[in-house]
Amino acid sequence: MTTRRLTTAQALVAFLARQYTERDGRRHRLIGATWGIFGHGNVAGVGQALLEAHKDMPFLQGRNEQSMVHAAVGHARQSRRLSAQAVTTSIGPGATNLVTGAALATINHLPVLLLPGDTFATRPADPVLQQLEVPYAGDVSVNDCLRPVSRWFDRIVRPEALVPAALQAVRVLTDPAQTGAVTLALPQDVQAEAYDWPEEFFAERTWRIRRPRPDAEALAQAAAAVRSARRPLLVAGGGVHHSEAEEALRAFADATGIPVASTQAGKGSLPYDHPCDIGGIGHTGTATADDLARTADLVIGVGTRWSDFTTASSTLFRHETVCFVNLNITAFDAHKMAGLSVVADARAGLEELTAALGDHRVEGDYRARYTSAKAAWEERVTAAFAAPDPDAAPTQAQVLGALDALVTGDDILINAAGSLPGDLHKLWRSRSADQYHVEYGYSCMGYEIPAAIGVAMAAPGRPVWALVGDGTYLMNPTEIVTAVQEGVPIRMVILQNHGYASIGGLSESVGAERYGTAYRHRAADRSFTGPPLPVDLAANAESLGMRVIRARSVRDLREALAEARAADVPTCVYVETGTADTVSGPPGAQAWWDVPVAETATRPSAVKAREEYDRQAAARRRHL
């Protein structure tokens, strides 16, 4: 047997550089690059290996470990999960900083390979720097906190253990039903240890991404359920995008006339101007979608996890005999809502369901109903976007309106948390399948800037916008330096409203009176009611190397956005939209979200909020 003598780290890098995916006849490099921040736990192992293999494995220097995972996740989503990136860190805080990003990746079913350094396997000294000691076990390290947020976890305590572990890691990364964060913890001594590796380990491997087709009996039952429904509704989730099933969904909608609502992850599955697209569903959905959901007698979920916030799954669907058909590649999600489970790839399943339905089409009065409601909602969107005084400071909705008037289907919008996802879900007019990129599976502040870098690397030449509130900007601005270093011309829009606007609104609705949600000086009574803090986020972004354009009015904003879109360097548009308690302009929530309110309280606001909570909670329903 031919062998090659390499260190464990060198062997891992060489192996990863030769892994490929293939779907529908298209081949992709699986691990296109490795992000890293070096410390004593990985600099002499993985760091040295990346130096030797820099022509085969590009290296990207990050500034924050969590951010590196976000960038890799953004890249994977834009690549439809066919390409991923690795992230290497030192031991200790470098490794534990991965946890949030790993949770986000796993919750959203997006592949990322994590390579944290680990404490010595041979234990020449105990403890070593940054080692966690526990009194009940000698084999625990801080990396064990990555176990519950990883789809696959292994600790490589001997070089030869890398062979089966690496193959299992890639199997999970490329499995559309299991993919998420994959962790290979690498003790720093094992990284540097040499071994005679079988040459076959480094052969090119192509992992075919499967498209499982639905069971014939389940498909027949689903088709029968659709034919018998009078008011069916389809809810498109992120699985539509992951499977590249947008054209199959369009064909299904064209053939049947069934209206299509979308989750945050599924928005853009149909373009906004398709006759069957009725916009977002759930707490941040449109009145059109939520009203139809309340009277739907059949709900077809395609690629959705039925999250409570993004679908209002336990309160919105109120028809007495409503039933569900769940088309999902994972049996775990397909069984939810007591639905008829159709386990299949979204594209394959939609194609077969469309064929099984033949010439079946919903009744004309139902189509007329949602068509009229859709037109009425579009009028509300236009009104929210309108800016009658171009010299006034814009509202948040007017910022989106100015961007809406500028972009084409080439532009990609990134957002994740705060009040913006709600406004975007209700208002944004998606022009292409991958334009709308809002991470709401984990709703992670600080995702937008690094994710925009990852997306821009996966879609070079396309304008990529990171829409960032002041709260999320303060969480994680450091990857601006990376965008500058790598020459990635992301466009960033900072919306300054001096606080946590989304949680401020929620706080008010649950009787907590917006306590602690604004960025203000403390008043004499120690409350946060003083003037806004003199924080200049534009100056901060500029100090990190970004070009910054300040917009003080709607007119300024329109010019600044156009200038940023044409830029070939990382560019920021900074605009103040008021304070955290300023109404942003769009219609309010169209469905209820279950956030428990204090059962006993002395303040009238909480007492009143509890009364409303009890009224709404009475309508909760467990679909059985």
Side-chain angles (χ1 to χ4, degrees), residues 204-219:
E204 282 193 4
R205 283 181 173 83
T206 299
W207 301 75
R208 185 174 177 274
I209 309 301
R210 56 196 175 92
R211 287 194 182 276
R213 309 198 79 81
D215 172 76
E217 184 175 347
L219 181 69

Side-chain angles (χ1 to χ4, degrees), residues 4-26:
R4 190 188 310 182
R5 191 162 183 81
L6 299 170
T7 69
T8 303
Q10 291 164 355
L12 176 59
V13 171
F15 169 83
L16 293 175
R18 291 164 177 80
Q19 305 304 303
Y20 294 83
T21 64
E22 182 180 310
R23 186 169 72 182
D24 304 329
R26 289 174 294 163

Side-chain angles (χ1 to χ4, degrees), residues 442-507:
Y442 205 42
S443 184
C444 185
M445 297 177 74
Y447 173 82
E448 296 90 340
I449 298 172
I453 296 171
V455 169
M457 289 179 171
R462 295 180 61 181
V464 177
W465 300 85
L467 306 184
V468 184
D470 54 329
T472 193
Y473 179 87
L474 287 168
M475 290 275 184
N476 205 3
T478 54
E479 296 312 313
I480 289 174
V481 178
T482 302
V484 172
Q485 181 182 47
E486 298 292 335
V488 181
I490 62 171
R491 289 82 175 164
M492 181 170 67
V493 180
I494 299 178
L495 295 95
Q496 169 68 281
N497 57 26
H498 303 283
Y500 301 117
S502 174
I503 296 302
L506 177 62
S507 172

Side-chain angles (χ1 to χ4, degrees), residues 12-23 26-35 49-50 53-59 72 75-76 79-86 111 113 170 173-174 202-207 209 457-458:
L12 176 59
V13 171
F15 169 83
L16 293 175
R18 291 164 177 80
Q19 305 304 303
Y20 294 83
T21 64
E22 182 180 310
R23 186 169 72 182
R26 289 174 294 163
R27 195 164 182 254
H28 304 262
R29 170 86 174 259
L30 174 59
I31 304 297
T34 296
W35 290 88
L50 288 170
H54 69 274
K55 292 181 180 178
D56 294 327
M57 177 61 69
F59 174 71
H75 185 278
S79 302
R80 306 297 184 106
R81 306 194 301 189
L82 299 173
S83 182
Q85 294 176 330
L113 177 60
V170 175
L173 286 170
T174 58
F202 306 112
E204 282 193 4
R205 283 181 173 83
T206 299
W207 301 75
I209 309 301
M457 289 179 171

Side-chain angles (χ1 to χ4, degrees), residues 152-202:
W152 169 262
F153 178 99
D154 202 355
R155 180 176 284 113
I156 313 303
V157 296
R158 287 293 307 146
E160 57 267 35
L162 177 66
V163 173
L167 291 168
Q168 286 284 5
V170 175
R171 178 193 65 80
V172 174
L173 286 170
T174 58
D175 187 328
Q178 292 191 36
T179 193
V182 169
T183 300
L184 295 180
L186 303 171
Q188 56 181 311
D189 52 346
V190 178
Q191 289 181 47
E193 187 174 346
Y195 182 74
D196 293 323
W197 304 89
E199 194 65 42
E200 292 84 354
F201 184 55
F202 306 112

Side-chain angles (χ1 to χ4, degrees), residues 221-233:
Q221 291 176 339
V226 175
R227 288 194 196 96
S228 64
R230 295 181 59 100
R231 290 181 295 278
L233 171 68

Side-chain angles (χ1 to χ4, degrees), residues 119 126-134 136-138 140-143:
T119 52
D126 201 14
V128 295
L129 179 63
Q130 297 180 326
Q131 178 177 340
L132 172 71
E133 292 184 279
V134 295
Y136 58 83
V140 171
S141 82
V142 295
N143 284 327

